[in-house]
Amino acid sequence: MLTVIEKVLLLQNIDLFSYVTSEQLSFFAAIAEEVTVKPARVLYQENDAPDGLYVVVSGSVGMHRGQEEIDRMGPNTSFGVWALFDDGPRLTTARTVEESRLLFVSRDDFYEVLSDHVDIVEGLFKHLVQRLRRLASVVEQ
């Protein structure tokens, strides 16, 4: 089992949290559930309702659209980040490639932390605004 400090170190690798302090990340680390998942297990499917964010501790997870694998997530990577903000259905299917240890932050728990620690929202907004500016600059070119 990972300690809260080890979870914070993993969460620091997620772009979404780039402007969130370590102290603030500790609130998310405290709610992050560590799970071990067997190979070939579907974590969610295309069109499922969004339920939360995943971080790969070890192993790997394939991201599929239809039958095609479009990406593979390994240690220290995350997927499902937008499920924290968007009510739209999942766009991909996530399936473990090998036995994998994951952290899972549920959408409900995420919002509960935000409601108790509103100061975290500023860091999240900074990241989202920067991402939108980068996208806008690409479109303008």
Side-chain angles (χ1 to χ4, degrees), residues 79-123:
F79 56 97
V81 172
W82 294 110
L84 297 174
F85 301 103
D86 184 16
D87 287 331
R90 297 278 192 175
L91 299 176
T92 59
T93 296
R95 183 180 308 118
T96 54
V97 175
E98 58 192 301
E99 183 169 287
S100 301
R101 283 179 49 219
L102 307 170
L103 290 182
F104 176 71
V105 176
S106 81
R107 183 183 171 132
D108 292 340
D109 290 344
F110 177 79
Y111 280 105
E112 192 171 312
V113 167
L114 291 183
S115 69
D116 292 339
H117 304 281
V118 179
D119 54 320
I120 295 172
V121 175
E122 181 181 353

Short mmCIF file of all heavy atoms in Angstrom, two decimals, residues 79-123:
data_model
loop_
_atom_site.label_atom_id
_atom_site.label_comp_id
_atom_site.label_asym_id
_atom_site.label_seq_id
_atom_site.Cartn_x
_atom_site.Cartn_y
_atom_site.Cartn_z
N PHE A 79 -5.18 8.80 -16.83
CA PHE A 79 -6.22 8.82 -17.85
C PHE A 79 -7.56 9.03 -17.16
O PHE A 79 -7.71 8.76 -15.98
CB PHE A 79 -6.20 7.55 -18.71
CG PHE A 79 -6.34 6.27 -17.94
CD1 PHE A 79 -7.58 5.64 -17.82
CD2 PHE A 79 -5.24 5.67 -17.35
CE1 PHE A 79 -7.71 4.46 -17.12
CE2 PHE A 79 -5.37 4.48 -16.64
CZ PHE A 79 -6.61 3.88 -16.52
N GLY A 80 -8.49 9.57 -17.93
CA GLY A 80 -9.80 9.86 -17.36
C GLY A 80 -9.88 11.22 -16.68
O GLY A 80 -10.85 11.49 -15.98
N VAL A 81 -8.90 12.06 -16.89
CA VAL A 81 -8.87 13.36 -16.22
C VAL A 81 -10.12 14.17 -16.54
O VAL A 81 -10.74 14.76 -15.64
CB VAL A 81 -7.60 14.16 -16.62
CG1 VAL A 81 -7.67 15.59 -16.10
CG2 VAL A 81 -6.35 13.48 -16.12
N TRP A 82 -10.53 14.20 -17.80
CA TRP A 82 -11.67 15.03 -18.18
C TRP A 82 -12.97 14.52 -17.60
O TRP A 82 -13.95 15.26 -17.52
CB TRP A 82 -11.73 15.20 -19.69
CG TRP A 82 -10.54 15.99 -20.13
CD1 TRP A 82 -9.47 15.55 -20.85
CD2 TRP A 82 -10.25 17.36 -19.81
NE1 TRP A 82 -8.54 16.56 -20.99
CE2 TRP A 82 -8.99 17.67 -20.36
CE3 TRP A 82 -10.93 18.34 -19.10
CZ2 TRP A 82 -8.42 18.93 -20.24
CZ3 TRP A 82 -10.34 19.59 -18.97
CH2 TRP A 82 -9.10 19.88 -19.54
N ALA A 83 -12.99 13.27 -17.16
CA ALA A 83 -14.20 12.73 -16.51
C ALA A 83 -14.50 13.47 -15.21
O ALA A 83 -15.62 13.42 -14.72
CB ALA A 83 -14.02 11.24 -16.25
N LEU A 84 -13.50 14.14 -14.66
CA LEU A 84 -13.73 14.92 -13.44
C LEU A 84 -14.57 16.16 -13.72
O LEU A 84 -15.23 16.69 -12.83
CB LEU A 84 -12.40 15.33 -12.81
CG LEU A 84 -11.50 14.20 -12.33
CD1 LEU A 84 -10.17 14.76 -11.86
CD2 LEU A 84 -12.17 13.40 -11.22
N PHE A 85 -14.57 16.64 -14.97
CA PHE A 85 -15.21 17.91 -15.31
C PHE A 85 -16.38 17.78 -16.28
O PHE A 85 -17.24 18.65 -16.31
CB PHE A 85 -14.19 18.87 -15.92
CG PHE A 85 -13.04 19.15 -15.02
CD1 PHE A 85 -11.81 18.54 -15.23
CD2 PHE A 85 -13.17 20.02 -13.95
CE1 PHE A 85 -10.74 18.80 -14.40
CE2 PHE A 85 -12.10 20.28 -13.10
CZ PHE A 85 -10.88 19.66 -13.33
N ASP A 86 -16.36 16.76 -17.09
CA ASP A 86 -17.32 16.65 -18.18
C ASP A 86 -18.32 15.53 -17.90
O ASP A 86 -17.93 14.42 -17.57
CB ASP A 86 -16.55 16.36 -19.48
CG ASP A 86 -17.44 16.32 -20.70
OD1 ASP A 86 -18.58 16.80 -20.63
OD2 ASP A 86 -16.98 15.78 -21.72
N ASP A 87 -19.62 15.85 -18.05
CA ASP A 87 -20.67 14.85 -17.86
C ASP A 87 -20.86 13.95 -19.08
O ASP A 87 -21.61 12.99 -19.01
CB ASP A 87 -22.00 15.53 -17.55
CG ASP A 87 -22.04 16.10 -16.15
OD1 ASP A 87 -21.36 15.57 -15.26
OD2 ASP A 87 -22.77 17.09 -15.95
N GLY A 88 -20.18 14.29 -20.17
CA GLY A 88 -20.34 13.51 -21.40
C GLY A 88 -19.80 12.10 -21.22
O GLY A 88 -18.97 11.82 -20.34
N PRO A 89 -20.26 11.17 -22.05
CA PRO A 89 -19.82 9.78 -21.93
C PRO A 89 -18.35 9.61 -22.26
O PRO A 89 -17.75 10.42 -22.97
CB PRO A 89 -20.70 9.04 -22.94
CG PRO A 89 -21.12 10.08 -23.93
CD PRO A 89 -21.18 11.38 -23.17
N ARG A 90 -17.78 8.53 -21.75
CA ARG A 90 -16.38 8.19 -22.05
C ARG A 90 -16.21 8.01 -23.55
O ARG A 90 -17.07 7.47 -24.23
CB ARG A 90 -15.99 6.88 -21.36
CG ARG A 90 -16.04 6.93 -19.84
CD ARG A 90 -14.80 7.53 -19.28
NE ARG A 90 -14.74 7.30 -17.83
CZ ARG A 90 -13.74 7.63 -17.08
NH1 ARG A 90 -12.68 8.21 -17.60
NH2 ARG A 90 -13.75 7.41 -15.79
N LEU A 91 -15.07 8.47 -24.06
CA LEU A 91 -14.79 8.37 -25.49
C LEU A 91 -14.01 7.12 -25.86
O LEU A 91 -13.90 6.79 -27.04
CB LEU A 91 -14.01 9.61 -25.95
CG LEU A 91 -14.73 10.95 -25.77
CD1 LEU A 91 -13.81 12.10 -26.16
CD2 LEU A 91 -16.02 10.96 -26.57
N THR A 92 -13.45 6.47 -24.85
CA THR A 92 -12.63 5.28 -25.09
C THR A 92 -13.00 4.17 -24.11
O THR A 92 -13.72 4.40 -23.14
CB THR A 92 -11.12 5.59 -24.91
OG1 THR A 92 -10.92 6.06 -23.57
CG2 THR A 92 -10.63 6.62 -25.91
N THR A 93 -12.46 3.00 -24.38
CA THR A 93 -12.52 1.88 -23.45
C THR A 93 -11.13 1.72 -22.85
O THR A 93 -10.13 1.76 -23.58
CB THR A 93 -12.92 0.57 -24.17
OG1 THR A 93 -14.25 0.73 -24.68
CG2 THR A 93 -12.87 -0.64 -23.25
N ALA A 94 -11.05 1.57 -21.54
CA ALA A 94 -9.77 1.38 -20.85
C ALA A 94 -9.70 -0.07 -20.38
O ALA A 94 -10.58 -0.53 -19.65
CB ALA A 94 -9.65 2.33 -19.68
N ARG A 95 -8.65 -0.78 -20.82
CA ARG A 95 -8.49 -2.20 -20.48
C ARG A 95 -7.04 -2.45 -20.06
O ARG A 95 -6.11 -2.04 -20.75
CB ARG A 95 -8.83 -3.07 -21.69
CG ARG A 95 -8.75 -4.56 -21.42
CD ARG A 95 -9.10 -5.42 -22.64
NE ARG A 95 -10.36 -5.05 -23.23
CZ ARG A 95 -10.50 -4.59 -24.48
NH1 ARG A 95 -9.46 -4.44 -25.27
NH2 ARG A 95 -11.69 -4.28 -24.95
N THR A 96 -6.87 -3.14 -18.94
CA THR A 96 -5.52 -3.45 -18.48
C THR A 96 -4.84 -4.40 -19.46
O THR A 96 -5.47 -5.32 -19.98
CB THR A 96 -5.53 -4.07 -17.07
OG1 THR A 96 -6.39 -5.20 -17.07
CG2 THR A 96 -5.97 -3.08 -16.01
N VAL A 97 -3.56 -4.16 -19.70
CA VAL A 97 -2.76 -5.00 -20.58
C VAL A 97 -2.11 -6.11 -19.77
O VAL A 97 -1.97 -7.24 -20.22
CB VAL A 97 -1.69 -4.15 -21.31
CG1 VAL A 97 -0.78 -5.03 -22.16
CG2 VAL A 97 -2.37 -3.07 -22.16
N GLU A 98 -1.72 -5.77 -18.56
CA GLU A 98 -1.08 -6.70 -17.63
C GLU A 98 -1.60 -6.38 -16.24
O GLU A 98 -2.34 -5.42 -16.06
CB GLU A 98 0.44 -6.51 -17.71
CG GLU A 98 0.87 -5.07 -17.39
CD GLU A 98 2.32 -4.79 -17.72
OE1 GLU A 98 3.19 -5.48 -17.17
OE2 GLU A 98 2.56 -3.88 -18.53
N GLU A 99 -1.22 -7.19 -15.27
CA GLU A 99 -1.64 -6.84 -13.91
C GLU A 99 -1.14 -5.44 -13.61
O GLU A 99 0.02 -5.11 -13.87
CB GLU A 99 -1.09 -7.84 -12.89
CG GLU A 99 -1.57 -7.53 -11.49
CD GLU A 99 -1.28 -8.63 -10.50
OE1 GLU A 99 -1.95 -9.67 -10.55
OE2 GLU A 99 -0.36 -8.42 -9.68
N SER A 100 -2.02 -4.61 -13.07
CA SER A 100 -1.70 -3.19 -12.89
C SER A 100 -2.15 -2.70 -11.52
O SER A 100 -3.22 -3.10 -11.04
CB SER A 100 -2.39 -2.35 -13.97
OG SER A 100 -1.98 -2.75 -15.26
N ARG A 101 -1.33 -1.87 -10.93
CA ARG A 101 -1.72 -1.14 -9.71
C ARG A 101 -2.10 0.26 -10.14
O ARG A 101 -1.35 0.93 -10.84
CB ARG A 101 -0.57 -1.09 -8.70
CG ARG A 101 -0.38 -2.40 -7.97
CD ARG A 101 0.78 -2.39 -6.98
NE ARG A 101 0.79 -1.25 -6.09
CZ ARG A 101 1.90 -0.61 -5.73
NH1 ARG A 101 3.08 -0.98 -6.18
NH2 ARG A 101 1.84 0.41 -4.89
N LEU A 102 -3.26 0.69 -9.68
CA LEU A 102 -3.80 1.98 -10.08
C LEU A 102 -4.25 2.77 -8.87
O LEU A 102 -4.62 2.18 -7.85
CB LEU A 102 -5.01 1.79 -11.00
CG LEU A 102 -4.85 0.89 -12.21
CD1 LEU A 102 -6.20 0.61 -12.85
CD2 LEU A 102 -3.90 1.52 -13.22
N LEU A 103 -4.23 4.07 -9.00
CA LEU A 103 -4.91 4.95 -8.06
C LEU A 103 -6.18 5.41 -8.76
O LEU A 103 -6.16 5.71 -9.96
CB LEU A 103 -4.08 6.18 -7.71
CG LEU A 103 -2.83 5.98 -6.88
CD1 LEU A 103 -2.17 7.34 -6.60
CD2 LEU A 103 -3.14 5.28 -5.58
N PHE A 104 -7.26 5.48 -8.01
CA PHE A 104 -8.52 5.95 -8.56
C PHE A 104 -9.06 7.05 -7.66
O PHE A 104 -9.17 6.89 -6.44
CB PHE A 104 -9.54 4.81 -8.65
CG PHE A 104 -10.89 5.26 -9.11
CD1 PHE A 104 -11.09 5.64 -10.43
CD2 PHE A 104 -11.95 5.31 -8.23
CE1 PHE A 104 -12.34 6.07 -10.86
CE2 PHE A 104 -13.21 5.74 -8.66
CZ PHE A 104 -13.40 6.11 -9.98
N VAL A 105 -9.36 8.21 -8.27
CA VAL A 105 -9.99 9.32 -7.56
C VAL A 105 -11.39 9.47 -8.16
O VAL A 105 -11.53 9.84 -9.33
CB VAL A 105 -9.19 10.63 -7.72
CG1 VAL A 105 -9.92 11.79 -7.05
CG2 VAL A 105 -7.78 10.47 -7.16
N SER A 106 -12.39 9.16 -7.37
CA SER A 106 -13.75 9.24 -7.88
C SER A 106 -14.16 10.70 -8.07
O SER A 106 -13.71 11.60 -7.35
CB SER A 106 -14.74 8.54 -6.96
OG SER A 106 -15.08 9.36 -5.87
N ARG A 107 -15.01 10.90 -9.02
CA ARG A 107 -15.53 12.23 -9.33
C ARG A 107 -16.23 12.84 -8.11
O ARG A 107 -16.03 14.01 -7.78
CB ARG A 107 -16.47 12.09 -10.51
CG ARG A 107 -17.03 13.34 -11.02
CD ARG A 107 -18.00 13.01 -12.15
NE ARG A 107 -18.70 14.22 -12.49
CZ ARG A 107 -18.87 14.66 -13.71
NH1 ARG A 107 -18.42 13.97 -14.72
NH2 ARG A 107 -19.51 15.77 -13.92
N ASP A 108 -17.04 12.04 -7.42
CA ASP A 108 -17.77 12.54 -6.24
C ASP A 108 -16.80 12.97 -5.14
O ASP A 108 -16.97 14.03 -4.54
CB ASP A 108 -18.73 11.48 -5.71
CG ASP A 108 -19.89 11.22 -6.66
OD1 ASP A 108 -20.18 12.07 -7.53
OD2 ASP A 108 -20.51 10.15 -6.53
N ASP A 109 -15.78 12.15 -4.88
CA ASP A 109 -14.80 12.49 -3.85
C ASP A 109 -13.99 13.73 -4.25
O ASP A 109 -13.66 14.57 -3.41
CB ASP A 109 -13.86 11.32 -3.58
CG ASP A 109 -14.54 10.17 -2.87
OD1 ASP A 109 -15.64 10.36 -2.32
OD2 ASP A 109 -13.96 9.06 -2.87
N PHE A 110 -13.67 13.85 -5.54
CA PHE A 110 -12.95 15.00 -6.06
C PHE A 110 -13.72 16.29 -5.74
O PHE A 110 -13.15 17.25 -5.21
CB PHE A 110 -12.76 14.84 -7.57
CG PHE A 110 -12.09 15.99 -8.26
CD1 PHE A 110 -10.72 16.15 -8.22
CD2 PHE A 110 -12.84 16.91 -8.99
CE1 PHE A 110 -10.09 17.20 -8.87
CE2 PHE A 110 -12.23 17.96 -9.66
CZ PHE A 110 -10.86 18.10 -9.59
N TYR A 111 -15.02 16.29 -6.02
CA TYR A 111 -15.82 17.49 -5.76
C TYR A 111 -16.01 17.75 -4.27
O TYR A 111 -16.11 18.90 -3.84
CB TYR A 111 -17.16 17.43 -6.49
CG TYR A 111 -17.00 17.81 -7.94
CD1 TYR A 111 -17.02 16.84 -8.94
CD2 TYR A 111 -16.78 19.13 -8.31
CE1 TYR A 111 -16.85 17.19 -10.27
CE2 TYR A 111 -16.60 19.49 -9.63
CZ TYR A 111 -16.63 18.51 -10.61
OH TYR A 111 -16.44 18.85 -11.91
N GLU A 112 -16.01 16.71 -3.50
CA GLU A 112 -16.11 16.90 -2.05
C GLU A 112 -14.86 17.61 -1.52
O GLU A 112 -14.95 18.52 -0.70
CB GLU A 112 -16.29 15.55 -1.35
CG GLU A 112 -16.67 15.68 0.10
CD GLU A 112 -17.05 14.34 0.71
OE1 GLU A 112 -17.84 13.62 0.10
OE2 GLU A 112 -16.52 14.05 1.80
N VAL A 113 -13.68 17.20 -2.03
CA VAL A 113 -12.45 17.88 -1.63
C VAL A 113 -12.50 19.34 -2.07
O VAL A 113 -12.15 20.24 -1.30
CB VAL A 113 -11.20 17.17 -2.21
CG1 VAL A 113 -9.96 18.05 -2.08
CG2 VAL A 113 -10.97 15.84 -1.53
N LEU A 114 -12.94 19.60 -3.30
CA LEU A 114 -13.01 20.97 -3.78
C LEU A 114 -13.97 21.82 -2.96
O LEU A 114 -13.70 23.00 -2.70
CB LEU A 114 -13.42 21.01 -5.25
CG LEU A 114 -12.40 20.49 -6.26
CD1 LEU A 114 -12.93 20.68 -7.68
CD2 LEU A 114 -11.05 21.14 -6.10
N SER A 115 -15.07 21.23 -2.52
CA SER A 115 -16.02 22.01 -1.73
C SER A 115 -15.46 22.36 -0.36
O SER A 115 -15.79 23.40 0.20
CB SER A 115 -17.35 21.26 -1.58
OG SER A 115 -17.20 20.13 -0.76
N ASP A 116 -14.57 21.52 0.16
CA ASP A 116 -13.94 21.79 1.46
C ASP A 116 -12.69 22.65 1.34
O ASP A 116 -12.26 23.26 2.33
CB ASP A 116 -13.57 20.47 2.16
CG ASP A 116 -14.79 19.68 2.59
OD1 ASP A 116 -15.88 20.28 2.74
OD2 ASP A 116 -14.66 18.46 2.78
N HIS A 117 -12.08 22.69 0.15
CA HIS A 117 -10.81 23.40 -0.05
C HIS A 117 -10.89 24.21 -1.36
O HIS A 117 -10.23 23.89 -2.35
CB HIS A 117 -9.65 22.40 -0.09
CG HIS A 117 -9.59 21.54 1.12
ND1 HIS A 117 -9.05 21.98 2.30
CD2 HIS A 117 -10.03 20.28 1.34
CE1 HIS A 117 -9.15 21.02 3.20
NE2 HIS A 117 -9.74 19.98 2.65
N VAL A 118 -11.66 25.25 -1.33
CA VAL A 118 -11.93 26.07 -2.51
C VAL A 118 -10.64 26.65 -3.10
O VAL A 118 -10.55 26.87 -4.32
CB VAL A 118 -12.95 27.18 -2.18
CG1 VAL A 118 -13.22 28.05 -3.38
CG2 VAL A 118 -14.24 26.56 -1.66
N ASP A 119 -9.62 26.87 -2.29
CA ASP A 119 -8.37 27.44 -2.77
C ASP A 119 -7.71 26.57 -3.84
O ASP A 119 -6.93 27.06 -4.66
CB ASP A 119 -7.41 27.69 -1.61
CG ASP A 119 -7.15 26.45 -0.77
OD1 ASP A 119 -8.11 25.68 -0.52
OD2 ASP A 119 -6.00 26.24 -0.34
N ILE A 120 -8.02 25.29 -3.88
CA ILE A 120 -7.45 24.38 -4.88
C ILE A 120 -7.96 24.73 -6.27
O ILE A 120 -7.26 24.56 -7.27
CB ILE A 120 -7.77 22.91 -4.53
CG1 ILE A 120 -7.09 22.52 -3.22
CG2 ILE A 120 -7.35 21.97 -5.65
CD1 ILE A 120 -7.50 21.15 -2.68
N VAL A 121 -9.16 25.25 -6.35
CA VAL A 121 -9.78 25.55 -7.63
C VAL A 121 -8.93 26.53 -8.44
O VAL A 121 -8.82 26.40 -9.66
CB VAL A 121 -11.22 26.10 -7.42
CG1 VAL A 121 -11.83 26.54 -8.74
CG2 VAL A 121 -12.09 25.05 -6.74
N GLU A 122 -8.30 27.48 -7.79
CA GLU A 122 -7.45 28.45 -8.49
C GLU A 122 -6.36 27.75 -9.29
O GLU A 122 -6.13 28.07 -10.46
CB GLU A 122 -6.82 29.44 -7.51
CG GLU A 122 -5.96 30.48 -8.18
CD GLU A 122 -5.31 31.43 -7.19
OE1 GLU A 122 -5.62 31.39 -5.99
OE2 GLU A 122 -4.47 32.23 -7.65
N GLY A 123 -5.68 26.78 -8.68
CA GLY A 123 -4.63 26.03 -9.38
C GLY A 123 -5.18 25.23 -10.55
O GLY A 123 -4.55 25.14 -11.61
#
